[in-house]
């Protein structure tokens, strides 16, 4: 839905989120386009929102951390409908998308995304066969900000690519080593076997 229905977005910067999440004992990562920018070390484009990925099993800790914020969950997902995330409520799949603003009068500034995990492994909510050790899910910027590994972020972007996703792919592709390219090519094949990115990844990933 449009901003006049759901409200205006003025996204935080990654450093703003890092200040809020500092010293917390659960993992979190900047995601989306800002994750790609943290990987390449420069700004690429204007952003309409700021995504933060957390594990579903840590949602109570996140809810406690943001207890003073105004939090809404997209329910049902992808329909342009929001409802309050009630204190003490445990969000079950397929609910995974939470809009956050500091007060009801403030613009939306952070979009929380809940993802799955089993033990020490991350499990993609889109394709449970796609997994990684949690300690390989992210990177850390030079300024100490955790962000989603670019190959994982590109996997999420591959489902329905837009011009901005192509920009992100082109910017970060030279930084992906052979194992990252191989993982990304294999992961995309699961969800989109004819995706054009696979051809660009294969020359390195299969050697």
């Amino acid at each position: 839905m449009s901003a006049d229905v759901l409200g205006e977005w003025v996204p935080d910067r990654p450093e703003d989120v890092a200040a809020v999440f500092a010293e917390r004992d659960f993992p979190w990562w900047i995601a989306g386009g800002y994750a790609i920018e943290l990987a390449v070390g420069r700004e690429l484009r204007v952003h309409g929102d700021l995504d933060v990925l957390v594990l579903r099993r840590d949602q109570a800790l996140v809810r406690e951390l943001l207890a003073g914020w105004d939090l809404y969950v997209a329910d049902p997902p992808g329909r342009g409908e929001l409802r309050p995330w009630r204190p003490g409520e445990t969000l079950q799949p397929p609910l995974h998308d939470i809009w956050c603003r500091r007060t009801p009068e403030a613009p939306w500034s952070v979009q929380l995304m809940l993802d799955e995990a089993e033990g020490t492994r991350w499990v993609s909510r889109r394709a449970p066969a796609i997994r990684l050790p949690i300690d390989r899910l992210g990177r850390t910027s030079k300024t100490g900000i955790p962000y989603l590994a670019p190959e994982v972020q590109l996997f999420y972007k591959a489902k329905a690519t837009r011009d901005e996703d192509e920009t992100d792919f082109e910017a970060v592709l030279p930084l992906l080593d052979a194992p990252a390219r191989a993982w990304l090519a294999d992961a995309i094949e699961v969800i989109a076997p004819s995706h054009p990115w696979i051809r660009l990844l294969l020359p390195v990933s299969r050697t």
Side-chain angles (χ1 to χ4, degrees):
M1 285 188 179
S2 61
D4 60 341
V5 176
L6 295 179
E8 180 187 11
W9 268 91
V10 179
D12 279 358
R13 301 284 297 175
E15 52 268 28
D16 301 325
V17 173
V20 173
F21 281 73
E23 307 301 327
R24 295 297 161 174
D25 57 358
F26 57 84
W28 62 275
W29 304 269
I30 297 293
Y34 276 113
I36 299 297
E37 290 188 349
L38 288 170
V40 301
R42 58 186 174 88
E43 292 187 4
L44 297 173
R45 54 185 172 80
V46 176
H47 299 273
D49 59 9
L50 180 142
D51 299 330
V52 177
L53 183 73
V54 296
L55 301 178
R56 184 178 300 277
R57 66 190 183 193
D58 294 324
Q59 64 177 285
L61 298 174
V62 179
R63 186 67 182 80
E64 179 183 2
L65 172 65
L66 301 179
W69 288 49
D70 195 39
L71 307 176
Y72 278 70
V73 58
D75 185 9
R79 299 284 185 86
E81 299 177 16
L82 301 174
R83 66 163 177 84
W85 183 14
R86 297 178 293 273
E89 178 186 9
T90 299
L91 300 177
Q92 301 292 346
L95 303 181
H96 67 275
D97 182 4
I98 303 154
W99 290 29
C100 312
R101 56 190 175 188
R102 284 170 171 77
T103 69
E105 296 76 28
W108 302 108
S109 57
V110 175
Q111 188 167 12
L112 280 176
M113 311 300 291
L114 302 181
D115 229 337
E116 313 306 322
E118 293 181 5
T120 60
R121 299 184 72 81
W122 162 79
V123 180
S124 169
R125 67 176 179 273
R126 288 185 178 169
I130 307 301
R131 300 171 177 234
L132 267 180
I134 292 172
D135 61 8
R136 288 180 51 196
L137 189 59
R139 307 282 188 271
T140 304
S141 73
K142 293 180 180 179
T143 58
I145 300 175
Y147 64 92
L148 201 60
E151 62 270 24
V152 179
Q153 185 57 65
L154 290 174
F155 164 70
Y156 276 119
K157 286 176 169 287
K159 182 180 179 181
T161 52
R162 304 154 295 177
D163 289 345
E164 64 195 54
D165 302 318
E166 297 293 345
T167 296
D168 291 347
F169 178 80
E170 292 173 5
V172 83
L173 180 61
L175 303 181
L176 299 182
D177 60 18
R181 291 180 182 225
W183 182 90
L184 179 56
D186 290 340
I188 293 176
E189 281 187 311
V190 172
I191 61 169
S194 60
H195 199 290
W197 286 359
I198 297 174
R199 177 176 52 83
L200 298 174
L201 293 161
L202 283 176
V204 172
S205 66
R206 299 301 188 231
T207 58

